[in-house]
Amino acid sequence: MIIRWTYAFADRPAARLAEARAFWAAATGTRPSEPRGDRGEFMTLLPGETDGTDRADACVKLQGVAEGDGGAHLDLCADDVRELIATARALGAGTVADHGDWAVLRSLGGQLFCAVPWHGETVRPPVVAGSRLDQVCLDIPPSVYDSETAFWARLTGWRHRAGSRPEFQVLEPPAGLPVRLLLQRLDEERPASAHLDLACADIDAVRARHEELGAVVVRRGAHWTVLRDPAGGTYCLTGRDPETGGLPAAAQGTGFE
């Protein structure tokens, strides 16, 4: 298996990175690392110990972007980063920046992602306050949906299955990896983008907590709620099991996956 760990990135305007840091650290029950990068634009959200002896590894990071409103992207971690980069390129990915031991790449549909070294991460963070940030949703225009879905399926090698609605497909990683992919076919042609999803045991309870932290509800669906965080980024609360990531039986065929 090439991919050994995954990170979900919340990309937010650099001028609002402090707001994003405060919100996402509180929402995920983590503490932010010291800033890294030439402009202090990168931070890792570090989970606390799950009990007196167990540890958990980070799987969420923040990035301050100089242009645009941000969004989300995925970091794929590998033992052999050059092999992962070569595989992505062979499948049609473009190179945005090659730093030798890691690279920024662009998928066929235009979604940025990174290939980075694996540093031995193995233990995903626990469920916090009834939710877990466990999914990056790729929002893909219809003209490239099939090719983009095939690209990610081949690159990851993860289990590929249909979602509960025709516009969704799911890529499920092997047990233990913390972030999976949801591929959503948009209704209109616009640039590809991505957002973060949280699996919630009780959407209303999690929504209320996030509103207390400064998030604002954008819209509600039958089994999901779209919110905007204090830094202006949108994300979703979804009615999935925070432990398994799967839909409850009552929601099969009715929602967002």
Side-chain angles (χ1 to χ4, degrees), residues 7 17-18 30 84 89 97 102 111 127 130 139 143 167 189 232 254:
Y7 283 91
L17 189 58
T30 56
L84 178 57
R89 287 171 171 165
W102 69 282
Q111 175 62 44
V127 173
D139 303 311
S143 62
E167 65 268 29
E189 290 296 326
T254 61

Side-chain angles (χ1 to χ4, degrees), residues 1 4 9 13-14 16 21 47 71 86 90 104 117 123 139 155 163 175 199 207 212 220 242 253:
M1 182 177 67
R4 302 298 297 272
F9 259 86
R16 307 190 71 175
R21 176 186 62 203
V104 182
V123 182
D139 303 311
L155 178 64
R207 173 193 51 75
E212 290 177 358
R220 301 187 190 189

Side-chain angles (χ1 to χ4, degrees), residues 72-146:
H73 76 270
L74 192 69
D75 273 15
L76 303 176
C77 308
D79 283 317
D80 189 335
V81 175
R82 301 312 305 181
E83 179 187 4
L84 178 57
I85 293 169
T87 300
R89 287 171 171 165
L91 292 171
T95 302
V96 177
D98 193 330
H99 299 277
D101 62 345
W102 69 282
V104 182
L105 302 162
R106 192 186 306 276
S107 73
L108 296 173
Q111 175 62 44
L112 295 177
F113 66 101
C114 295
V116 301
W118 178 56
H119 295 296
E121 302 95 330
T122 57
V123 182
R124 68 176 185 164
V127 173
V128 173
S131 69
R132 189 199 298 270
L133 199 166
D134 71 337
Q135 185 166 268
V136 173
C137 179
L138 305 181
D139 303 311
I140 305 167
S143 62
V144 296
Y145 185 76
D146 290 342

Side-chain angles (χ1 to χ4, degrees), residues 35-42:
R36 304 182 304 279
D38 296 338
R39 300 176 301 279
E41 68 271 32
F42 298 108

